[in-house]
Every structure is written in C-alpha cells, then in structure tokens.
Amino acid sequence: MIVTLIVICEVGFWVLLAAGLAVRYLLRMPRTGLALLLCEPLLEVVLLVVTAIDLKNGADPSWKHGLAALYIGYTVGHGHRTVKWLDGHAAHRLAGGPPPVKPPRYGMARARHEGAVWLGSVLAAAVASGLLLLAVWYVGPDGETESLWGWITVAWRATGIHGLIALSYAIWPPKDPAAKRSAVPARDPEDVADLPVGGPRKDEEQV
C-alpha cells in the first residue's frame, strides 16, 4: 500500500504541476494556478499520515516506510527548485516571458551553484532522518527498527557522495573553453624586433 501511495504521490505531483502551470499561463488565471501548485505539499502530508497509520496498525517497519521518508525529504529539499525551473520555462514559452536564466557552467559560479544544490540534499536528508527517527520512537524499543536506521544511513551516505561531487567543482572549477580559444599566447621577447625610440641614430644620419 505504501509503495502504491508513493507512486500515486509522484504522479500527482507532476499532474498538479502541469495543471497549475497550464491554468496560470494558458488560461490566464494566476491565482488559481498558484492554488494548484500549493496543493502539492498536501500529497506529502497524505503520504506521511498513511505511513504513520500503517505503523500504528501494527505493520513492521520496512523499506517501504524508509522510502516514503526519503521521498518526502527529497520533495522538501529539491521540489521547490523543480517547480521554479519549470515555472520559468512555462512563463517563457506560454506567456512570452524572458528566457529563464541558465545555471552557470564554468568557474567558481558553477561551484557555488553545485554547493547550493547540495544544501538541498542536506535538507532532504535531515527531513527524512527526522521522520525516520520519529518512526523509531513511535515503534518503540521492542519493535523492529533496524530497517529505519538503515535508511538514515542511506540518506546521509547519498548526501556525502553528493557533497564530494560538489566539492570537486570548488577544487577543480571547470574552465570556459571559449576563454581558452580567445586567449592570445604571449610572444617570446627574443622574437620581437627592437623598435627605434626617438628617431634614427646620429651614425645612421651620416651614412
């Protein structure tokens, strides 16, 4: 049941997102479209409540409950970024708005962007861990909670790997190939002919 609900929430997320953007820009009803977009967090609330009820009714904690917590955490950490990105593209293509600003690709600007995305992963792991710890407390010391603890480890291991990738952009920031092509190589001073300064010399004038 939990897995089915996760699939329903994922599909519902994209359905509400598409409907909200269509109503906002195609039908020119921004308030109604915004209301549809704001309904998306309700999907996560429903998933959280059903997961708690499932545990309350005596279900043993399993990978399904951990997956539900990770899904909610990911939505909290990265859902707003996805909605903002799609909203910018919808405004540009459907309402004649300016093109959305693309994330930087080179230099320390790219490193800062990757760091900001990683902070979203940190938030996602923190939210998922909080929900899993609540589940552990709810089940109690006599219940089977090993799988819940295991999902906390999974969440922070994934965040650590993402952090290493983001850190690599700060240590080795990618360089713009266009800047390399436009750079003019410096010439060897020995290959540059001496230029006369102040006019010809006196011995040259007498020749």
Side-chain angles (χ1 to χ4, degrees):
M1 178 180 178
I2 300 297
V3 176
T4 302
L5 187 59
I6 292 175
V7 175
I8 293 175
C9 288
E10 178 65 19
V11 174
F13 173 86
W14 293 105
V15 169
L16 282 177
L17 182 58
L21 295 177
V23 170
R24 187 174 185 179
Y25 294 110
L26 291 179
L27 301 181
R28 300 293 192 272
M29 301 171 64
R31 293 184 178 180
T32 304
L34 180 61
L36 289 174
L37 294 176
L38 292 177
C39 287
E40 292 181 350
L42 295 178
L43 297 174
E44 280 66 49
V45 174
V46 171
L47 179 59
L48 178 62
V49 171
V50 172
T51 302
I53 293 175
D54 192 42
L55 293 173
K56 179 69 173 179
N57 291 335
D60 292 330
S62 65
W63 64 270
K64 298 178 293 185
H65 302 95
L67 183 61
L70 290 186
Y71 174 78
I72 295 174
Y74 180 86
T75 303
V76 174
H78 295 286
H80 69 289
R81 190 183 306 276
T82 303
V83 172
K84 183 179 179 181
W85 181 79
L86 290 175
D87 183 71
H89 282 274
H92 172 58
R93 297 184 178 275
L94 302 179
V101 179
K102 295 182 179 180
R105 299 176 60 185
Y106 307 108
M108 292 306 298
R110 175 64 183 272
R112 288 190 292 269
H113 170 75
E114 294 295 333
V117 176
W118 175 71
L119 290 178
S121 296
V122 173
L123 177 61
V127 171
S129 298
L131 295 175
L132 291 168
L133 287 174
L134 285 175
V136 169
W137 171 81
Y138 185 76
V139 173
D142 298 331
E144 297 293 334
T145 59
E146 288 80 4
S147 63
L148 299 179
W149 287 107
W151 278 103
I152 294 177
T153 303
V154 169
W156 287 107
R157 182 184 296 122
T159 303
I161 294 174
H162 188 186
L164 292 176
I165 295 174
L167 182 61
S168 68
Y169 283 94
I171 299 176
W172 302 287
K175 298 181 180 180
D176 188 353
K180 294 181 180 179
R181 290 193 299 267
S182 62
V184 178
R187 299 179 61 184
D188 192 335
E190 296 180 358
D191 298 334
V192 180
D194 295 334
L195 298 178
V197 179
R201 294 180 300 180
K202 292 183 180 180
D203 54 352
E204 293 177 349
E205 294 177 349
Q206 296 175 357
V207 175

